[in-house]
Amino acid sequence: MPPFDAVLFDLFDTLCHLDAGPYLEGKRRSARALGLDPERYFQAWLSLQDRCQVGALLGVEARIRESCALLGRGITARELDEIRGLEEEALRASARLHADVVPTLVSMRARAGLKLALVSNASSPARELTRRLGLDPFFDTLVYSFEIGSMKPQAPIYLAACDRLSVSPEACLFVGDGNDRELEGAIELGMTAIRIERPDAMEHYRRHPSDRWDHSVRNLGEIARLLEDRQFSAGESIS
């Protein structure tokens, strides 16, 4: 079989880890500042996830405002500015790259002709987050659901990456933790899907986990073997 032309990476729980401690404490601080019950505020925030990730609700301020509206509370411009700062601070404090990310991306960038894409179900703050984490220079294109208006496992978000890279789905390796059936979405387009096992993922945002993939790895560095040899048996775990 011909070599892979591109590797597509998921972002959250694949490359970027969110530490539940500071993240959830940030939500509690926002709720307390607004005089709201922290659990109800967080549930309102979560309920807006899909709207934010398809671009129907853009920006942290819009999500804060809508969360308050769901709880029957108005919000002033001064309050909105304060809560936006708390939310942005919480995201900064909780986000970090997994230890295997930079070495893997450096190695892949050194492979002549191999193209890399980020393909993420994400709301608009993800664009600044990837820049701050230093991910942007590693990728030929960054594809976010809030810009495309399509979320994995729907085909358009994967195909947008393929179009930008000028590659066919069959020539792509897709790497993700399997949230939101993303691995099945890749497989249905003819991509080779690899599940990265991340046991410390934040459970609050996990739903519809994939139950199909071609390979499973515990470290992104293990993917190198697939890039060197496409002759493998589907369903085999790499160890």
Side-chain angles (χ1 to χ4, degrees), residues 190-211:
M191 297 180 179
T192 298
I194 295 187
R195 181 188 68 156
I196 177 69
E197 300 176 25
R198 300 295 197 195
D200 54 352
M202 192 188 297
E203 290 300 320
H204 302 84
Y205 286 95
R206 299 198 66 76
R207 58 185 188 178
H208 313 306
S210 290
D211 56 20

Side-chain angles (χ1 to χ4, degrees), residues 10-27:
D10 170 51
L11 175 58
F12 293 107
D13 295 326
T14 297
L15 305 180
C16 176
H17 170 69
L18 291 181
D19 188 331
Y23 185 84
L24 296 176
E25 177 55 29
K27 291 290 180 288

Side-chain angles (χ1 to χ4, degrees), residues 105-114:
L105 294 177
V106 167
S107 174
M108 289 187 178
R109 281 278 66 157
R111 292 176 178 269
L114 185 67

